[in-house]
Amino acid sequence: MDITNRTKVREFVFSGLTDDENLKMFLFTLLLHVYIVTIVANLGLVVIVSNTSNLQSPMYYFLSYLSLVDVFYSSTVTPKMLVDLKFLKKNISYEGCALQFFFYAALAATESFLLSTMSYDRYVAICHPLHYMSIMTKKKCLRLVLLCFSVGFLQSSVQTSCAFSLQYCGPNLIDHFYCDAPLVLRLSCSNPSTCDMVTVYTVGSLALGSLMTILVSYALIVISITNMRSTEGRRKAFSTCSSHLLCVSIFYGTVLFTYMRPPSSIFTIRDKVASVFYTAVTPMLNPLIYSLRNQNVRRVIIQSVHWS
């Protein structure tokens, strides 16, 4: 079915981040540096993990995939946002909007699944240390990563197919800086109620399922740590989880703030700030948090700087 033949709208126009020319220049410079740091930090972490023998454990295996997802996740939104800050017309083609939303939704979901997988990995490492390597085998790690990507892209296909199979024949102004399903659906001249339900159910069930995995894993981890007799053992166990917990808190905090609200809520500047945070800032923070708070990664970086 050719969905483009069912619509009169050939392109969408973004409202953008701001109309203030002075603020535009500041935001462009700031977000350009954020994007550069995101790409360099995440790709650098992937290179460090792949080329360091003592970073070949499952935890770093998942971390390298998280970094790759962050590179592409940020790249689906930030480059277009930077271009729109420099030009007056902030338009995107109908097909471009569909593609942007597809990859944004797929990679955001994949990131949440990877974060929950990493929490399961920490649970096995702390609660079943003697059987860790026999449980978290290379084959199982690969299967978990493939499952994260498969479910992420599958749910995105469902959302995108539903949203962009509707008719769009009226206004084409999206009050945002990227294509997001709830705001696109508001512009449809068809009845979007079914797609609204699909979006809410899909995002809600997958986000809550992923978050519950994290909460249950860490509940069991806390119970296991409190039963440890050694103070040093408890400290070491907490330190291995702190980076992951910080990344989870930042990611889910901003996502839940934006999406877990009634659909009738007015989209405000605070929503745009939150969106900037989890589309541009969070992908930059993840590798920095793991690099600065993880002794093994920090040690490799210091050694690399000294050798250079």
Side-chain angles (χ1 to χ4, degrees):
M1 178 177 62
D2 186 3
I3 61 175
T4 59
N5 290 333
R6 299 184 57 188
T7 178
K8 295 179 182 179
V9 172
R10 305 302 302 173
E11 67 177 18
F12 292 102
V13 179
F14 297 130
S15 64
L17 283 172
T18 180
D19 292 324
D20 188 320
E21 292 300 324
N22 294 325
L23 188 55
K24 279 184 179 180
M25 191 61 204
F26 169 75
L27 288 173
F28 176 83
T29 304
L30 175 64
L31 293 173
L32 177 61
H33 283 84
V34 167
Y35 183 61
I36 292 172
V37 172
T38 299
I39 301 302
V40 172
N42 280 291
L43 292 180
L45 192 55
V46 172
V47 171
I48 287 173
V49 170
S50 61
N51 290 283
T52 306
S53 58
N54 64 335
L55 298 182
Q56 299 304 308
S57 68
M59 180 179 74
Y60 298 107
Y61 178 79
F62 294 129
L63 179 58
S64 62
Y65 275 101
L66 181 68
S67 292
L68 284 176
V69 168
D70 278 332
V71 168
F72 293 108
Y73 173 53
S74 177
S75 298
T76 60
V77 175
T78 307
K80 175 60 179 170
M81 178 171 54
L82 290 172
V83 170
D84 289 344
L85 284 170
K86 296 294 290 183
F87 295 96
L88 183 63
K89 191 175 181 182
K90 309 174 185 68
N91 61 313
I92 187 171
S93 68
Y94 183 86
E95 295 80 6
C97 186
L99 282 173
Q100 185 186 58
F101 172 72
F102 171 75
F103 285 107
Y104 159 75
L107 293 167
T110 302
E111 173 143 349
S112 71
F113 297 144
L114 281 172
L115 287 171
S116 63
T117 301
M118 292 170 76
S119 70
Y120 169 72
D121 171 72
R122 292 298 82 207
Y123 155 73
V124 176
I126 293 172
C127 298
H128 303 281
L130 298 179
H131 304 285
Y132 178 60
M133 294 311 298
S134 62
I135 296 174
M136 301 301 294
T137 62
K138 288 185 178 180
K139 184 177 292 186
K140 184 173 184 177
C141 291
L142 177 60
R143 287 175 178 172
L144 287 171
V145 168
L146 290 177
L147 180 63
C148 292
F149 278 91
S150 299
V151 177
F153 277 83
L154 178 61
Q155 64 82 31
S156 179
S157 299
V158 172
Q159 287 194 70
T160 306
S161 298
C162 188
F164 289 90
S165 63
L166 300 177
Q167 290 182 309
Y168 295 89
C169 44
N172 66 341
L173 177 63
I174 300 175
D175 187 20
H176 211 344
F177 56 88
Y178 68 94
C179 291
D180 199 5
L183 297 177
V184 172
L185 290 174
R186 293 181 191 179
L187 304 178
S188 175
C189 50
S190 305
N191 184 359
S193 58
T194 301
C195 289
D196 278 329
M197 290 178 60
V198 167
T199 300
V200 171
Y201 176 78
T202 303
V203 174
S205 60
L206 294 178
L208 291 176
S210 177
L211 189 56
M212 283 302 298
T213 301
I214 294 171
L215 293 177
V216 170
S217 295
Y218 275 102
L220 295 173
I221 287 172
V222 169
I223 293 172
S224 179
I225 291 176
T226 53
N227 289 330
M228 291 180 180
R229 296 181 179 180
S230 169
T231 303
E232 178 63 23
R234 287 197 296 268
R235 187 198 64 79
K236 186 175 180 181
F238 272 121
S239 68
T240 61
C241 300
S242 60
S243 299
H244 180 255
L245 273 174
L246 187 55
C247 291
V248 167
S249 301
I250 293 172
F251 180 80
Y252 278 97
T254 52
V255 169
L256 292 176
F257 172 82
T258 302
Y259 289 103
M260 293 294 108
R261 300 182 312 162
S264 59
S265 296
I266 299 173
F267 199 77
T268 65
I269 188 63
R270 287 184 301 174
D271 297 293
K272 290 187 179 183
V273 171
S275 298
V276 169
F277 205 83
Y278 70 76
T279 57
V281 179
T282 301
M284 176 193 71
L285 291 178
N286 285 344
L288 296 181
I289 290 171
Y290 274 99
S291 299
L292 295 175
R293 296 184 64 87
N294 188 289
Q295 293 183 0
N296 292 332
V297 176
R298 191 166 65 243
R299 188 181 302 114
V300 173
I301 294 174
I302 294 173
Q303 289 175 351
S304 300
V305 172
H306 287 167
W307 289 339
S308 62

